[in-house]
Amino acid sequence: MYPEFKSLLDKHDIVCLTETKLDDVDEINCDNFIFHYKNRKKLANHKSGGIALGFKKYLDKYIKYIQSDCQFVLWFSIDKKVLDLPKDAIFGIIYIPPINTSYTSEDAFTEIEFELQNFCSKTNYITMLGDFNSRTGNLSDFYNIDKDSSFENNFTDYNELSDVDVLDELGIPRLRNSIDTVVNGYGRKFIDFCKNNRMFILNGRLEENKTGSPTSRNSSVIDYALSSTHFLYNICKLEVLNFCKLFSDVHSPLSLQLYTNNEINDKLLTEIFCCGDERVNKWENEKCNEYKNNIDRNKVDDICNRLSAYVNDVNNVTKYDMNNIVTDICDTLTESAKATFGTSTFNKTMFKCSKNQFSKDWYNKDCKKAQREFRKSQRLYKHYGSNIFKERLRQNLNKEIHTFWIVNDTAKVFWAQPGVYINITDNISGTYCKWTEEQGSLLVNDQAKQRQLTSFPEIQTMLTSGEEVGLVVNITECQCAACKGNCYHGILGDTIRGFKIAKDSSIHFSTSMITIFPVAMNFIQLTTSVRVDTNNTATFITRHLDSSTFEQDYIDIMSCPIHSGSSIGRGAKFYVN
């Protein structure tokens, strides 16, 4: 194994290799790495293609190789504990053969997509990277809601809005950059693949690769890293490393860094270093002559004799012969360095191996967890600088969420302190009372005088002039797509705090709140996206999300007329105070 390649392995915990040109007889032997392969052929005279996964041995119990039928992708999973996720993360290493070769496949993206959909039903945390042989120029990899003029009949594009908003929250630009402006046939298929599966291209978006550096022949971009919406929060940075002929004929390596669980990381460091790791001490110039004298001359003579023999018989020299020469040279110089400068062994206390981790009685595991979450928020805010992480730092931990439900003659009142990440559900308190039997009282303040807006032009005029517009909808009076009739009982209301006007003049805005759901006794985030059209109708899409994982439970879609203002008027009521 080349020292340069070994050095590359040592700098990374996981390596994803394409065009490995191996068959089932070949093996990669590396003391510190475990490898899995997906070879193009079991036995081959002419070896080509192939994909391999390698990871350091200490990750063995956290990484699982996933067998699949598609020859264009190698799947593996990383345990949710490592990345601090609610579910395991799935990674796919891609190699799609280039166009106009004997291995070209028009169905490559379809086969990959078929297997990807199976994983999407199990987890939202998916990353794909590798050689796609696709040149995409600067084409957009997501659907643009403003370009959709058939909102009532096609809600697919509108669902993408929440995904794209995550880019904004993380400070990741919607438009990616690429030095390569060429688009080929595979590139268009690749873009459709990203759009249909809600995967974002990381190239040309992250800080270290905002220019969209070339990945092949120093001119084209054909190697990519993709991420699902949910996994974007775990992406730290993506870099295109310098090209090296030892690693590839034309490709530059990609380096992807992820945010991990600090507690698991500490544990892994403990497993690696607790047994002692011997290292040579630093170089000292005053011991230069001593270092030279400690070099074993017999080994040097042996190496020189072997090299002379190879020079006289070049045709019979193999790469294994040269690898052995390089290894012997390294060992000879290292042994001299150890004898001259000495070595140091990292003991347990350097890597938190001591059993007494908490020196203070009050500093327990809860304190450590809170400290870790706070530092994570600091790190994310420093890296992205977006409002979502700024809010995490500012949020008051003592703030309570209050929820008030009325079901027939029973009032249900709940309150709780969810914490920064809204994931603590064991402290929810509440009470039930029959208010019709004087077990409690409902007090209603006098309603302020309001001006009702009864048409689309009025609503548009008030919003564009800066007026604060409110909204109240009796859901019973709306038409629901799911049941093809009147919707369930309930009332929806809020104040419009931000909006945008699409090219077809329709008005778009959204509302969101976190409530305590009385059946499951957990926190639910209700997000409603609203579109008001020129034909005096309003369409509502309400999503029910888990506030901890942001996993979507289901979607309600309903359409309501704008309240006309008459005594028998029905529908969505817009007003200004």
Side-chain angles (χ1 to χ4, degrees):
M1 183 177 292
Y2 290 111
E4 291 84 356
F5 182 66
K6 190 174 185 302
S7 175
L8 180 71
L9 294 181
D10 291 339
K11 293 178 182 178
H12 295 84
D13 297 296
I14 303 171
V15 291
C16 305
L17 308 175
T18 60
E19 292 189 87
T20 53
K21 299 181 180 179
L22 302 174
D23 59 24
D24 291 355
V25 178
D26 296 316
E27 289 186 7
I28 302 178
N29 292 321
C30 184
D31 294 337
N32 197 30
F33 264 77
I34 298 173
F35 282 91
H36 295 277
Y37 322 98
K38 178 171 278 192
N39 301 321
R40 179 171 282 172
K41 295 181 179 179
K42 293 183 178 181
L43 292 173
N45 293 326
H46 177 71
K47 300 175 183 178
S48 62
I51 307 172
L53 161 69
F55 51 86
K56 290 185 176 177
K57 289 184 177 179
Y58 72 87
L59 290 170
D60 188 23
K61 62 182 179 181
Y62 296 102
I63 295 180
K64 293 182 180 179
Y65 166 65
I66 303 173
Q67 292 186 349
S68 65
D69 296 329
C70 180
Q71 62 176 329
F72 306 110
V73 57
L74 184 155
W75 300 101
F76 67 96
S77 66
I78 298 181
D79 192 282
K80 59 185 179 182
K81 297 177 183 177
V82 176
L83 300 173
D84 198 14
L85 296 173
K87 294 183 179 180
D88 293 347
I90 299 295
F91 289 76
I93 310 173
I94 307 296
Y95 175 62
I96 297 178
I99 302 173
N100 300 325
T101 67
S102 57
Y103 296 103
T104 301
S105 173
E106 295 296 328
D107 299 325
F109 285 102
T110 303
E111 293 182 27
I112 296 172
E113 186 172 14
F114 179 78
E115 293 191 346
L116 174 63
Q117 290 301 320
N118 291 333
F119 293 117
C120 288
S121 63
K122 301 175 183 177
T123 180
N124 293 320
Y125 307 97
I126 299 175
T127 300
M128 306 174 73
L129 66 167
D131 182 3
F132 291 81
N133 272 304
S134 305
R135 303 180 71 175
T136 61
N138 292 302
L139 294 179
S140 176
D141 54 354
F142 59 88
Y143 289 111
N144 192 337
I145 182 66
D146 290 338
K147 295 181 180 179
D148 181 23
S149 59
S150 57
F151 176 83
E152 292 81 5
N153 299 321
N154 184 4
F155 293 98
T156 303
D157 291 355
Y158 201 76
N159 290 341
E160 296 294 327
L161 183 62
S162 60
D163 295 331
V164 178
D165 285 344
V166 173
L167 295 178
D168 300 334
E169 293 289 355
L170 295 175
I172 301 175
R174 293 191 178 193
L175 300 179
R176 58 187 181 87
N177 297 315
S178 179
I179 292 178
D180 182 11
T181 58
V182 176
V183 180
N184 62 8
Y186 269 5
R188 294 184 179 87
K189 287 187 176 182
F190 180 45
I191 289 296
D192 290 339
F193 174 87
C194 294
K195 288 182 176 180
N196 295 335
N197 295 283
R198 300 162 72 176
M199 301 288 290
F200 289 104
I201 298 174
L202 301 180
N203 302 55
R205 276 196 169 109
L206 301 184
E207 194 65 38
E208 291 75 10
N209 187 240
K210 277 196 172 180
T211 59
S213 304
T215 65
S216 176
R217 301 184 188 276
N218 205 29
S219 60
S220 60
V221 179
I222 60 175
D223 305 279
Y224 298 89
L226 313 179
S227 172
S228 63
T229 308
H230 292 74
F231 199 72
L232 286 173
Y233 293 94
N234 284 77
I235 302 295
C236 178
K237 67 178 181 178
L238 172 71
E239 290 183 274
V240 179
L241 304 182
N242 294 329
F243 170 73
C244 179
K245 290 184 178 180
L246 290 175
F247 304 149
S248 174
D249 51 353
V250 295
H251 296 271
S252 298
L254 299 182
S255 177
L256 181 67
Q257 291 190 20
L258 307 175
Y259 289 118
T260 60
N261 185 331
N262 291 335
E263 185 175 346
I264 294 294
N265 196 44
D266 289 344
K267 182 179 178 182
L268 295 179
L269 287 174
T270 299
E271 294 175 359
I272 299 171
F273 296 110
C274 266
C275 297
D277 184 22
E278 187 180 58
R279 299 184 183 180
V280 180
N281 293 332
K282 292 184 178 180
W283 174 272
E284 299 177 27
N285 288 330
E286 57 272 17
K287 294 184 178 182
C288 179
N289 292 329
E290 183 181 350
Y291 171 74
K292 294 178 181 179
N293 295 331
N294 285 331
I295 295 176
D296 191 330
R297 299 299 173 183
N298 293 329
K299 290 185 177 180
V300 173
D301 293 339
D302 178 64
I303 293 171
C304 291
N305 292 333
R306 287 155 60 191
L307 287 173
S308 298
Y310 294 157
V311 171
N312 297 328
D313 192 14
V314 175
N315 294 330
N316 293 324
V317 178
T318 66
K319 63 178 182 180
Y320 302 104
D321 295 329
M322 297 309 301
N323 286 343
N324 290 333
I325 287 287
V326 172
T327 300
D328 290 343
I329 293 174
C330 293
D331 291 343
T332 302
L333 298 178
T334 302
E335 288 173 4
S336 176
K338 289 180 179 179
T340 306
F341 309 112
T343 60
S344 298
T345 302
F346 288 82
N347 56 38
K348 293 184 177 182
T349 57
M350 293 182 180
F351 291 94
K352 302 180 182 179
C353 295
S354 173
K355 293 182 179 179
N356 185 21
Q357 294 187 19
F358 309 112
S359 58
K360 303 293 184 181
D361 293 337
W362 53 267
Y363 188 78
N364 53 25
K365 291 184 178 180
D366 292 336
C367 293
K368 183 176 177 64
K369 182 179 179 181
Q371 183 187 51
R372 185 172 65 252
E373 290 182 347
F374 176 72
R375 288 177 176 173
K376 180 178 180 181
S377 297
Q378 282 184 315
R379 184 173 67 251
L380 292 172
Y381 177 57
K382 182 179 180 181
H383 184 77
Y384 295 111
S386 64
N387 290 332
I388 186 172
F389 300 115
K390 185 176 182 180
E391 186 62 26
R392 282 184 178 180
L393 291 176
R394 290 181 174 180
Q395 189 166 356
N396 182 1
L397 299 182
N398 294 321
K399 183 178 180 180
E400 286 189 339
I401 288 181
H402 297 265
T403 300
F404 183 56
W405 294 75
I406 297 179
V407 181
N408 298 325
D409 61 348
T410 302
K412 304 177 181 180
V413 184
F414 303 96
W415 59 92
Q417 292 180 347
V420 175
Y421 295 102
I422 317 178
N423 55 12
I424 303 174
T425 58
D426 55 358
N427 62 350
I428 297 178
S429 302
T431 184
Y432 287 58
C433 59
K434 290 185 177 296
W435 57 277
T436 56
E437 299 178 4
E438 298 184 354
Q439 293 182 0
S441 300
L442 294 179
L443 303 178
V444 180
N445 294 329
D446 292 336
Q447 187 176 11
K449 187 176 181 180
Q450 300 170 335
R451 174 191 169 188
Q452 188 169 341
L453 309 176
T454 59
S455 65
F456 175 86
E458 285 187 282
I459 298 171
Q460 186 182 53
T461 300
M462 290 296 103
L463 286 174
T464 54
S465 64
E467 293 288 342
E468 189 176 79
V469 178
L471 165 69
V472 175
V473 183
N474 188 339
I475 299 176
T476 311
E477 300 168 353
C478 299
Q479 297 293 314
C480 281
C483 56
K484 297 181 180 179
N486 291 344
C487 302
Y488 53 85
H489 294 279
I491 295 176
L492 172 69
D494 204 347
T495 301
I496 303 175
R497 294 179 174 84
F499 69 96
K500 72 172 184 177
I501 299 178
K503 291 182 179 179
D504 61 357
S505 298
S506 60
I507 301 171
H508 298 255
F509 61 91
S510 63
T511 66
S512 179
M513 71 173 181
I514 295 175
T515 183
I516 300 172
F517 192 61
V519 178
M521 292 302 288
N522 60 355
F523 297 100
I524 294 294
Q525 182 172 8
L526 302 179
T527 302
T528 303
S529 302
V530 186
R531 171 170 173 161
V532 184
D533 287 294
T534 55
N535 62 355
N536 291 331
T537 60
T539 305
F540 299 81
I541 298 180
T542 301
R543 297 176 177 86
H544 300 242
L545 304 176
D546 186 302
S547 299
S548 302
T549 64
F550 284 91
E551 293 180 0
Q552 184 172 281
D553 290 338
Y554 57 90
I555 299 177
D556 293 328
I557 302 175
M558 55 189 178
S559 179
C560 309
I562 296 177
H563 198 291
S564 63
S566 64
S567 58
I568 58 173
R570 296 178 179 274
K573 180 180 178 182
F574 292 83
Y575 61 89
V576 291
N577 292 324

